[in-house]
Amino acid sequence: MTKMTRIALAALAVMGATTAMAQSSVTLYGRINTTVERQKAGDQTVTGMQNNASRWGIRGTEDLGGGLKAGFTLESGFNSDTGTGSGWTHPTTGMSFARQSEVNLSGGFGMLRLGNFVPESYYATADYVSMHNHDTGSSSDAFYDDPVWFGGVNGGGLSTRNKIGYRTPSMGGVTVDAAVSLAEKDPALFQKNKNGYDLAANYNTGPVHLGAGYSKVGDNWQAAFRGLYTFGQFTVGGYYQRSHVGFALPGQVAAGNRNNFRLSAMYALGASEFHANVGRANKWSNIADSAATQYTLGYNYNLSKRTKVYGYYTKVNNSKGAAYMTGTAGADFSSFALGVRHNF
């Protein structure tokens, strides 16, 4: 082999590696979000450190040509206060990808998704207006109902796994997501023969952001609508949800119907953000005195685009038949928190 031939082969190898790198990408990402809090549940007060949905993940895409792409996401939760593993719906002692594990194909037709991922109906409504701490930790939305596979009040469902999903291309600023979660007759599920269904729509153009979501499994369902508007330094938003729980374990009473809503506002001034939100859950039709109110006041200071320090006070006032955030009927909940969040 001549010297010139060796040089030509080496150049071709370098060009091939460069092309492969241009067509494929893998990204490591995550969030560490930790607070020190003074919490009160009923008559019990405790000071401690809390994890706020910290996670890390890997996502990647491959350009298959002709506008077709393959992608994946693997996301694992962990407890930032102890360093132990944490799942999405089921905490674990070791690492898992219970938060998200999906593979997808996308192109001009939209996106086909297979695996384990959060319902888009949640992202389109409750999560979208939870601006101060991304709907995590003790100030997260106490009233949003996720009616998937488990009975009882205020959700607790396996709403992420065994999922087939489809997302449309953007149509004048509108995208639609639809998914089915396969129950697979899992005996661990209360409604083991019932698949879950999820539908969401989003319209996000300029200062106007609108969304809607619907999800159902068996006798349980929810429907919600969201709006958010930005003008100058102010952002205001809110959502309304109608829920129905028609399933109950033997010896229990199905909760029935309930309405809840949340209003939120943010004022941005330089690196500072001032937040306020209030939520109201009306009583369940079959549970007496089950209404509750939650309000939160918060302040964020953005040290950079990825790092912030923040503080908030949140309070849940439960009627004598409500047990939001405490698990004890009639007991109220409150927390004063100081935290740091870093994205990477």
Side-chain angles (χ1 to χ4, degrees):
M1 184 180 294
T2 67
K3 182 177 180 181
M4 290 300 295
T5 302
R6 289 196 296 268
I7 293 174
L9 289 173
L12 287 172
V14 171
M15 290 175 63
T18 303
T19 302
M21 291 178 62
Q23 293 177 344
S24 302
S25 66
V26 176
T27 302
L28 176 69
Y29 70 93
R31 172 183 296 170
I32 304 175
N33 194 358
T34 310
T35 51
V36 177
E37 303 190 24
R38 180 73 167 175
Q39 294 185 356
K40 184 177 182 181
D43 296 328
Q44 301 297 316
T45 302
V46 62
T47 300
M49 187 172 291
Q50 301 293 322
N51 172 46
N52 292 248
S54 298
R55 80 289 300 262
W56 71 276
I58 306 169
R59 64 168 65 98
T61 60
E62 181 185 12
D63 189 343
L64 301 174
L68 184 65
K69 293 183 179 180
F72 75 91
T73 301
L74 298 173
E75 187 169 290
S76 178
F78 64 91
N79 296 307
S80 60
D81 53 333
T82 64
T84 57
S86 173
W88 179 248
T89 54
H90 289 291
T92 59
T93 56
M95 187 190 75
S96 75
F97 293 113
R99 286 189 60 91
Q100 188 172 356
S101 53
E102 75 164 270
V103 63
N104 57 67
L105 289 173
S106 61
F109 61 89
M111 178 183 288
L112 176 66
R113 309 171 71 188
L114 299 175
N116 170 68
F117 46 92
V118 176
E120 292 297 330
S121 58
Y122 164 73
Y123 284 136
T125 55
D127 180 77
Y128 208 99
V129 303
S130 298
M131 297 179 285
H132 75 282
N133 197 22
H134 306 279
D135 203 30
T136 64
S138 60
S139 66
S140 60
D141 188 340
F143 304 144
Y144 180 80
D145 186 47
D146 178 14
V148 183
W149 277 323
F150 279 79
V153 176
N154 206 34
L158 285 176
S159 55
T160 65
R161 69 182 195 175
N162 303 333
K163 188 171 291 186
I164 303 168
Y166 170 71
R167 175 177 297 161
T168 68
S170 178
M171 300 171 289
V174 176
T175 57
V176 177
D177 284 85
V180 57
S181 300
L182 304 177
E184 299 179 344
K185 297 185 177 181
D186 187 342
L189 304 178
F190 293 167
Q191 301 192 73
K192 63 182 179 181
N193 295 319
K194 304 293 185 180
N195 292 335
Y197 301 94
D198 191 69
L199 184 66
N202 285 278
Y203 174 80
N204 301 311
T205 302
V208 178
H209 305 262
L210 304 175
Y214 173 81
S215 52
K216 183 182 189 299
V217 59
D219 299 322
N220 300 347
W221 59 265
Q222 69 84 25
F225 304 91
R226 174 263 304 173
L228 187 138
Y229 184 73
T230 299
F231 53 101
Q233 295 167 282
F234 288 92
T235 301
V236 295
Y239 81 90
Y240 161 81
Q241 183 185 49
R242 174 75 169 176
S243 301
H244 175 78
V245 175
F247 174 83
L249 292 174
Q252 297 183 356
V253 176
N257 300 315
R258 187 205 66 175
N259 297 319
N260 71 287
F261 69 87
R262 184 165 297 273
L263 300 174
S264 61
M266 176 182 73
Y267 176 70
L269 181 64
S272 296
E273 298 174 1
F274 300 88
H275 293 267
N277 69 71
V278 59
R280 172 69 179 177
N282 292 343
K283 68 177 291 292
W284 291 95
S285 58
N286 296 335
I287 302 177
D289 299 313
S290 54
T293 303
Q294 180 183 23
Y295 63 87
T296 303
L297 297 174
Y299 171 75
N300 298 348
Y301 186 82
N302 296 290
L303 298 170
S304 70
K305 290 183 177 180
R306 297 187 300 173
T307 304
K308 73 176 182 181
V309 293
Y310 63 94
Y312 64 78
Y313 176 78
T314 190
K315 178 72 180 289
V316 176
N317 292 321
N318 285 312
S319 298
K320 63 181 181 180
Y324 297 101
M325 295 293 291
T326 65
T328 301
D332 296 336
F333 174 85
S334 65
S335 180
F336 176 76
L338 297 173
V340 178
R341 190 203 72 185
H342 174 71
N343 292 331
F344 61 89

